[in-house]
Amino acid sequence: MPSMIRLCAISVAACAGVLAAASCPGSVSHDGQPAGVFKNVTGIQVYHAYPPSQSGSNIEIITENAILFITDIYGVPLLQNRLLADSLARANYTVIMPDLFRGDAVPVSSPEGPALNLTEWRARHPEHEIDGIIDTIVDYIYDLGVRRLGGVGYCFGGKYVPRFMAINRGIDVGFIAHPSNLLSSEIEAIVGPISIAAGELDGGFNSTLRRNAEDILQKMNSTYQTNLYSGAPHGFAVRVDLNNSRQKYAKEASFQQAVTWFDTWLRRG
Ligand SMILES: *[C@@H]1O[C@H](CO)[C@@H](O)[C@H](O)[C@H]1NC(C)=O
Ligand SMILES: *[C@@H]1O[C@H](CO)[C@@H](O)[C@H](O)[C@H]1NC(C)=O
Ligand SMILES: *[C@@H]1O[C@H](CO)[C@@H](O)[C@H](O)[C@H]1NC(C)=O
Ligand SMILES: *[C@@H]1O[C@H](CO)[C@@H](O)[C@H](O)[C@H]1NC(C)=O
Ligand SMILES: *[C@@H]1O[C@H](CO)[C@@H](O)[C@H](O)[C@H]1NC(C)=O
Ligand SMILES: *[C@@H]1O[C@H](CO)[C@@H](O)[C@H](O)[C@H]1NC(C)=O
């Protein structure tokens, strides 16, 4: 195993150094132009990122598998979220990322400043509303002909992927990073394989909560994985200081964690 990990890291480094990011199927883009398209799904703006073989097509493509991307509070406007969706698409997945906040995502420039009261913002986007949007999008994806659905969730979205991994909710295989407000009851209801990326410096999903999640998943005999990244703060799988080598590693390795998980449990599961 160590030799495989080394090989992978070397090929990614070589690829990033020599070729354009678009030619690196296993790596995450840190910058560039988003390659996906927005479509209006019953009034919800939904970002679609297609695998390379299907890009440029106007026809709604039917694939065996797809990934539902449930964002953080910065939502679809955040470049890093669209680049993450594009990166998963380059790994050969159709990725569907809805605007959960109907045009009211938290602006990244003023996350907690006086311009935005997060308590009021949360009250405008209650759980039942988010559940309803995800239900609509899950139905939309299955209506396209998708047979098995993966889910990725970051921060805010890290609560909703487990919610939709409960029986008959729609997500078969999940990956979450630094989840917010994830309840024990939501973990206990998970049916399929779940992979979790946790940051050492994330107070929101701290060591107590992570160990609690591990205890529950182990007790249920779930197919699960938890990876703990040193020096990684809340949000690390989406937004990092690329000049900080621990943070940069945490973002890149957690992306690989997600791709390996889906290649194993979504494609072949
Ligand atoms: C999106 O579609 C809905 C109907 O499905 C329509 O009412 C709405 O005007 C559309 N919005 C945009 C921005 O096209
Ligand atoms: C991409 O996935 C499709 C099915 O979803 C498969 O037919 C194709 O071989 C895959 N391509 C690569 C390069 O893995
Ligand atoms: C944010 O809004 C809540 C509810 O309206 C209010 O109680 C609170 O004082 C506000 N916080 C700030 C910093 O304005
Ligand atoms: C983690 O957070 C929970 C909930 O806020 C708290 O009860 C617990 O003491 C925290 N654990 C650590 C190690 O800070
Ligand atoms: C746990 O799950 C695995 C895989 O499904 C199965 O082979 C094993 O028997 C289970 N263990 C227990 C104790 O149920
Ligand atoms: C990262 O380092 C480069 C080169 O030292 C510098 O130009 C850039 O501003 C730094 N970026 C951040 C976000 O600190």
Side-chain angles (χ1 to χ4, degrees):
M1 267 310 163
S3 69
M4 209 178 122
I5 288 161
R6 249 189 83 234
L7 224 151
C8 197
I10 286 167
S11 68
V12 168
C15 185
V18 178
L19 301 165
S23 347
C24 305
S27 66
V28 60
S29 302
H30 295 297
D31 49 35
Q33 289 295 316
V37 291
F38 278 100
K39 295 183 182 180
N40 180 357
V41 178
T42 66
I44 303 163
Q45 291 301 308
V46 183
Y47 186 80
H48 292 61
Y50 296 107
S53 60
Q54 295 167 3
S55 62
S57 172
N58 288 321
I59 303 155
E60 208 49 81
I61 289 129
I62 296 162
T63 52
E64 180 81 11
N65 307 311
I67 292 177
L68 172 59
F69 188 130
I70 309 184
T71 66
D72 57 16
I73 61 177
Y74 307 113
V76 295
L78 184 73
L79 175 66
Q80 300 308 337
N81 279 331
R82 279 180 275 163
L83 294 179
L84 264 176
D86 291 355
S87 301
L88 286 166
R90 272 205 312 283
N92 204 21
Y93 291 98
T94 299
V95 184
I96 308 283
M97 181 169 71
D99 174 10
L100 303 168
F101 312 118
R102 299 185 183 279
D104 184 39
V106 171
V108 78
S109 49
S110 60
E112 271 139 321
L116 185 83
N117 182 327
L118 268 182
T119 308
E120 288 176 348
W121 182 87
R122 284 183 201 287
R124 286 202 296 279
H125 304 285
E127 193 173 284
H128 66 86
E129 186 117 341
I130 302 295
D131 279 345
I133 290 173
I134 298 172
D135 268 327
T136 300
I137 301 305
V138 165
D139 288 348
Y140 161 75
I141 293 171
Y142 281 107
D143 285 349
L144 296 177
V146 167
R147 306 281 293 276
R148 276 172 65 75
L149 182 59
V152 294
Y154 300 90
C155 312
F156 181 93
K159 178 186 183 69
Y160 289 89
V161 166
R163 285 177 76 75
F164 281 79
M165 291 180 76
I167 195 155
N168 291 330
R169 291 305 297 274
I171 295 179
D172 297 301
V173 179
F175 165 84
I176 59 175
H178 38 75
S180 300
N181 305 315
L182 179 57
L183 304 178
S184 291
S185 58
E186 290 164 336
I187 302 169
E188 284 159 2
I190 290 174
V191 177
I194 176 87
S195 179
I196 303 176
E200 185 190 39
L201 306 181
D202 180 9
F205 190 65
N206 64 23
S207 57
T208 310
L209 298 173
R210 174 173 48 82
R211 287 179 187 135
N212 176 57
E214 288 167 346
D215 288 346
I216 293 169
L217 293 167
Q218 185 174 0
K219 200 167 159 196
M220 296 197 304
N221 193 26
S222 299
T223 300
Y224 74 95
Q225 168 187 33
T226 62
N227 283 5
L228 178 63
Y229 294 95
S230 64
H234 185 67
F236 72 85
V238 181
R239 297 191 307 145
V240 287
D241 175 1
L242 290 173
N243 285 345
N244 179 316
S245 51
R246 283 172 155 195
Q247 289 191 21
K248 182 169 185 285
Y249 174 80
K251 175 164 183 176
E252 291 172 349
S254 61
F255 176 78
Q256 303 280 347
Q257 180 185 335
V259 171
T260 308
W261 194 252
F262 290 120
D263 284 353
T264 304
W265 299 112
L266 184 62
R267 246 190 244 294
R268 300 169 211 157

